PDB file of all heavy atoms in Angstrom:
ATOM      1  N   THR A 180     133.018 143.430 -14.483  1.00  0.00           N
ATOM      2  CA  THR A 180     133.508 143.313 -15.819  1.00  0.00           C
ATOM      3  C   THR A 180     133.616 144.649 -16.481  1.00  0.00           C
ATOM      4  O   THR A 180     133.755 144.751 -17.640  1.00  0.00           O
ATOM      5  CB  THR A 180     132.626 142.349 -16.630  1.00  0.00           C
ATOM      6  OG1 THR A 180     131.246 142.724 -16.501  1.00  0.00           O
ATOM      7  CG2 THR A 180     132.786 140.924 -16.177  1.00  0.00           C
ATOM      8  N   ALA A 181     133.327 145.728 -15.692  1.00  0.00           N
ATOM      9  CA  ALA A 181     133.449 147.096 -16.252  1.00  0.00           C
ATOM     10  C   ALA A 181     132.574 147.382 -17.479  1.00  0.00           C
ATOM     11  O   ALA A 181     133.074 147.867 -18.453  1.00  0.00           O
ATOM     12  CB  ALA A 181     134.883 147.462 -16.575  1.00  0.00           C
ATOM     13  N   PRO A 182     131.232 147.168 -17.307  1.00  0.00           N
ATOM     14  CA  PRO A 182     130.346 147.485 -18.470  1.00  0.00           C
ATOM     15  C   PRO A 182     130.270 149.017 -18.630  1.00  0.00           C
ATOM     16  O   PRO A 182     129.901 149.457 -19.688  1.00  0.00           O
ATOM     17  CB  PRO A 182     128.996 146.972 -18.048  1.00  0.00           C
ATOM     18  CG  PRO A 182     129.050 146.879 -16.543  1.00  0.00           C
ATOM     19  CD  PRO A 182     130.430 146.527 -16.186  1.00  0.00           C
ATOM     20  N   CYS A 183     130.629 149.810 -17.567  1.00  0.00           N
ATOM     21  CA  CYS A 183     130.565 151.270 -17.626  1.00  0.00           C
ATOM     22  C   CYS A 183     131.448 151.885 -18.687  1.00  0.00           C
ATOM     23  O   CYS A 183     131.180 152.901 -19.270  1.00  0.00           O
ATOM     24  CB  CYS A 183     130.898 151.876 -16.231  1.00  0.00           C
ATOM     25  SG  CYS A 183     132.497 151.282 -15.619  1.00  0.00           S
ATOM     26  N   VAL A 184     132.584 151.166 -18.963  1.00  0.00           N
ATOM     27  CA  VAL A 184     133.537 151.622 -20.066  1.00  0.00           C
ATOM     28  C   VAL A 184     133.596 150.616 -21.154  1.00  0.00           C
ATOM     29  O   VAL A 184     134.568 150.609 -21.971  1.00  0.00           O
ATOM     30  CB  VAL A 184     134.941 151.918 -19.490  1.00  0.00           C
ATOM     31  CG1 VAL A 184     134.889 153.109 -18.516  1.00  0.00           C
ATOM     32  CG2 VAL A 184     135.406 150.695 -18.730  1.00  0.00           C
ATOM     33  N   GLU A 185     132.532 149.827 -21.226  1.00  0.00           N
ATOM     34  CA  GLU A 185     132.305 148.872 -22.325  1.00  0.00           C
ATOM     35  C   GLU A 185     133.398 147.853 -22.563  1.00  0.00           C
ATOM     36  O   GLU A 185     133.773 147.444 -23.689  1.00  0.00           O
ATOM     37  CB  GLU A 185     132.133 149.633 -23.737  1.00  0.00           C
ATOM     38  CG  GLU A 185     130.793 150.506 -23.596  1.00  0.00           C
ATOM     39  CD  GLU A 185     130.525 151.248 -24.959  1.00  0.00           C
ATOM     40  OE1 GLU A 185     131.463 151.279 -25.859  1.00  0.00           O
ATOM     41  OE2 GLU A 185     129.526 151.844 -25.125  1.00  0.00           O
ATOM     42  N   TYR A 186     133.948 147.370 -21.427  1.00  0.00           N
ATOM     43  CA  TYR A 186     134.918 146.264 -21.436  1.00  0.00           C
ATOM     44  C   TYR A 186     134.139 144.987 -21.754  1.00  0.00           C
ATOM     45  O   TYR A 186     134.861 143.948 -22.024  1.00  0.00           O
ATOM     46  CB  TYR A 186     135.679 146.189 -20.190  1.00  0.00           C
ATOM     47  CG  TYR A 186     136.818 147.207 -19.977  1.00  0.00           C
ATOM     48  CD1 TYR A 186     136.913 148.286 -20.805  1.00  0.00           C
ATOM     49  CD2 TYR A 186     137.743 146.968 -19.035  1.00  0.00           C
ATOM     50  CE1 TYR A 186     137.988 149.239 -20.677  1.00  0.00           C
ATOM     51  CE2 TYR A 186     138.852 147.889 -18.848  1.00  0.00           C
ATOM     52  CZ  TYR A 186     138.920 149.020 -19.673  1.00  0.00           C
ATOM     53  OH  TYR A 186     139.915 149.955 -19.499  1.00  0.00           O
ATOM     54  N   ILE A 187     132.900 144.989 -21.696  1.00  0.00           N
ATOM     55  CA  ILE A 187     132.047 143.831 -21.907  1.00  0.00           C
ATOM     56  C   ILE A 187     130.804 144.276 -22.769  1.00  0.00           C
ATOM     57  O   ILE A 187     130.267 145.403 -22.429  1.00  0.00           O
ATOM     58  CB  ILE A 187     131.649 143.095 -20.662  1.00  0.00           C
ATOM     59  CG1 ILE A 187     130.912 141.784 -20.987  1.00  0.00           C
ATOM     60  CG2 ILE A 187     130.836 143.934 -19.771  1.00  0.00           C
ATOM     61  CD1 ILE A 187     130.664 140.891 -19.711  1.00  0.00           C
ATOM     62  N   SER A 188     130.359 143.490 -23.634  1.00  0.00           N
ATOM     63  CA  SER A 188     129.132 143.859 -24.426  1.00  0.00           C
ATOM     64  C   SER A 188     127.857 143.692 -23.585  1.00  0.00           C
ATOM     65  O   SER A 188     127.893 143.003 -22.618  1.00  0.00           O
ATOM     66  CB  SER A 188     129.057 143.109 -25.717  1.00  0.00           C
ATOM     67  OG  SER A 188     128.818 141.702 -25.427  1.00  0.00           O
ATOM     68  N   LYS A 189     126.763 144.298 -24.053  1.00  0.00           N
ATOM     69  CA  LYS A 189     125.470 144.094 -23.341  1.00  0.00           C
ATOM     70  C   LYS A 189     125.114 142.639 -23.386  1.00  0.00           C
ATOM     71  O   LYS A 189     124.589 142.113 -22.345  1.00  0.00           O
ATOM     72  CB  LYS A 189     124.407 144.904 -24.047  1.00  0.00           C
ATOM     73  CG  LYS A 189     124.642 146.455 -24.027  1.00  0.00           C
ATOM     74  CD  LYS A 189     123.619 147.217 -24.863  1.00  0.00           C
ATOM     75  CE  LYS A 189     123.946 148.638 -25.000  1.00  0.00           C
ATOM     76  NZ  LYS A 189     122.961 149.357 -25.879  1.00  0.00           N
ATOM     77  N   GLU A 190     125.309 141.993 -24.487  1.00  0.00           N
ATOM     78  CA  GLU A 190     124.833 140.591 -24.646  1.00  0.00           C
ATOM     79  C   GLU A 190     125.675 139.730 -23.648  1.00  0.00           C
ATOM     80  O   GLU A 190     125.085 138.879 -22.934  1.00  0.00           O
ATOM     81  CB  GLU A 190     125.005 140.110 -26.008  1.00  0.00           C
ATOM     82  CG  GLU A 190     124.091 140.797 -27.045  1.00  0.00           C
ATOM     83  CD  GLU A 190     124.532 142.231 -27.364  1.00  0.00           C
ATOM     84  OE1 GLU A 190     125.742 142.523 -27.174  1.00  0.00           O
ATOM     85  OE2 GLU A 190     123.693 142.946 -27.897  1.00  0.00           O
ATOM     86  N   ASP A 191     127.008 139.923 -23.610  1.00  0.00           N
ATOM     87  CA  ASP A 191     127.782 139.094 -22.798  1.00  0.00           C
ATOM     88  C   ASP A 191     127.547 139.360 -21.327  1.00  0.00           C
ATOM     89  O   ASP A 191     127.604 138.486 -20.446  1.00  0.00           O
ATOM     90  CB  ASP A 191     129.357 139.329 -23.053  1.00  0.00           C
ATOM     91  CG  ASP A 191     129.714 138.762 -24.426  1.00  0.00           C
ATOM     92  OD1 ASP A 191     128.982 137.931 -24.954  1.00  0.00           O
ATOM     93  OD2 ASP A 191     130.795 139.137 -24.989  1.00  0.00           O
ATOM     94  N   TYR A 192     127.282 140.652 -21.005  1.00  0.00           N
ATOM     95  CA  TYR A 192     126.993 140.990 -19.571  1.00  0.00           C
ATOM     96  C   TYR A 192     125.682 140.322 -19.123  1.00  0.00           C
ATOM     97  O   TYR A 192     125.704 139.741 -18.033  1.00  0.00           O
ATOM     98  CB  TYR A 192     126.869 142.536 -19.461  1.00  0.00           C
ATOM     99  CG  TYR A 192     126.468 142.969 -18.052  1.00  0.00           C
ATOM    100  CD1 TYR A 192     127.548 143.188 -17.099  1.00  0.00           C
ATOM    101  CD2 TYR A 192     125.185 143.260 -17.656  1.00  0.00           C
ATOM    102  CE1 TYR A 192     127.239 143.621 -15.838  1.00  0.00           C
ATOM    103  CE2 TYR A 192     124.892 143.665 -16.356  1.00  0.00           C
ATOM    104  CZ  TYR A 192     125.878 143.854 -15.453  1.00  0.00           C
ATOM    105  OH  TYR A 192     125.548 144.313 -14.169  1.00  0.00           O
ATOM    106  N   ARG A 193     124.686 140.363 -19.967  1.00  0.00           N
ATOM    107  CA  ARG A 193     123.413 139.709 -19.578  1.00  0.00           C
ATOM    108  C   ARG A 193     123.646 138.167 -19.408  1.00  0.00           C
ATOM    109  O   ARG A 193     123.020 137.551 -18.504  1.00  0.00           O
ATOM    110  CB  ARG A 193     122.403 139.967 -20.682  1.00  0.00           C
ATOM    111  CG  ARG A 193     121.640 141.281 -20.514  1.00  0.00           C
ATOM    112  CD  ARG A 193     120.487 141.464 -21.409  1.00  0.00           C
ATOM    113  NE  ARG A 193     119.767 142.665 -21.110  1.00  0.00           N
ATOM    114  CZ  ARG A 193     118.779 142.768 -20.254  1.00  0.00           C
ATOM    115  NH1 ARG A 193     118.300 141.714 -19.633  1.00  0.00           N
ATOM    116  NH2 ARG A 193     118.150 143.933 -20.023  1.00  0.00           N
ATOM    117  N   GLU A 194     124.421 137.667 -20.251  1.00  0.00           N
ATOM    118  CA  GLU A 194     124.761 136.194 -20.084  1.00  0.00           C
ATOM    119  C   GLU A 194     125.419 135.891 -18.762  1.00  0.00           C
ATOM    120  O   GLU A 194     125.171 134.886 -18.133  1.00  0.00           O
ATOM    121  CB  GLU A 194     125.572 135.709 -21.255  1.00  0.00           C
ATOM    122  CG  GLU A 194     125.781 134.166 -21.342  1.00  0.00           C
ATOM    123  CD  GLU A 194     126.580 133.789 -22.453  1.00  0.00           C
ATOM    124  OE1 GLU A 194     126.761 134.510 -23.481  1.00  0.00           O
ATOM    125  OE2 GLU A 194     127.152 132.598 -22.429  1.00  0.00           O
ATOM    126  N   GLU A 195     126.269 136.865 -18.403  1.00  0.00           N
ATOM    127  CA  GLU A 195     126.997 136.642 -17.088  1.00  0.00           C
ATOM    128  C   GLU A 195     125.991 136.697 -15.934  1.00  0.00           C
ATOM    129  O   GLU A 195     126.106 135.948 -14.999  1.00  0.00           O
ATOM    130  CB  GLU A 195     128.070 137.750 -16.971  1.00  0.00           C
ATOM    131  CG  GLU A 195     129.289 137.630 -17.819  1.00  0.00           C
ATOM    132  CD  GLU A 195     130.296 136.550 -17.203  1.00  0.00           C
ATOM    133  OE1 GLU A 195     130.344 136.422 -15.988  1.00  0.00           O
ATOM    134  OE2 GLU A 195     130.994 135.878 -18.064  1.00  0.00           O
ATOM    135  N   VAL A 196     125.148 137.670 -15.930  1.00  0.00           N
ATOM    136  CA  VAL A 196     124.274 137.898 -14.826  1.00  0.00           C
ATOM    137  C   VAL A 196     122.983 136.988 -14.830  1.00  0.00           C
ATOM    138  O   VAL A 196     122.152 137.032 -13.895  1.00  0.00           O
ATOM    139  CB  VAL A 196     123.839 139.381 -14.692  1.00  0.00           C
ATOM    140  CG1 VAL A 196     125.047 140.316 -14.535  1.00  0.00           C
ATOM    141  CG2 VAL A 196     122.957 139.819 -15.847  1.00  0.00           C
ATOM    142  N   GLU A 197     122.833 136.302 -15.910  1.00  0.00           N
ATOM    143  CA  GLU A 197     121.692 135.381 -15.989  1.00  0.00           C
ATOM    144  C   GLU A 197     121.700 134.381 -14.823  1.00  0.00           C
ATOM    145  O   GLU A 197     120.666 133.948 -14.345  1.00  0.00           O
ATOM    146  CB  GLU A 197     121.695 134.614 -17.353  1.00  0.00           C
ATOM    147  CG  GLU A 197     120.617 133.573 -17.518  1.00  0.00           C
ATOM    148  CD  GLU A 197     119.291 134.251 -17.802  1.00  0.00           C
ATOM    149  OE1 GLU A 197     119.210 135.373 -18.240  1.00  0.00           O
ATOM    150  OE2 GLU A 197     118.219 133.471 -17.651  1.00  0.00           O
TER     151      GLU A 197
END
Side-chain angles (χ1 to χ4, degrees):
T180 50
C183 55
V184 290
E185 298 182 351
Y186 280 15
I187 185 173
S188 68
K189 297 174 187 177
E190 295 74 20
D191 290 343
Y192 179 83
R193 277 187 174 271
E194 187 178 342
E195 286 281 329
V196 303
E197 177 75 20

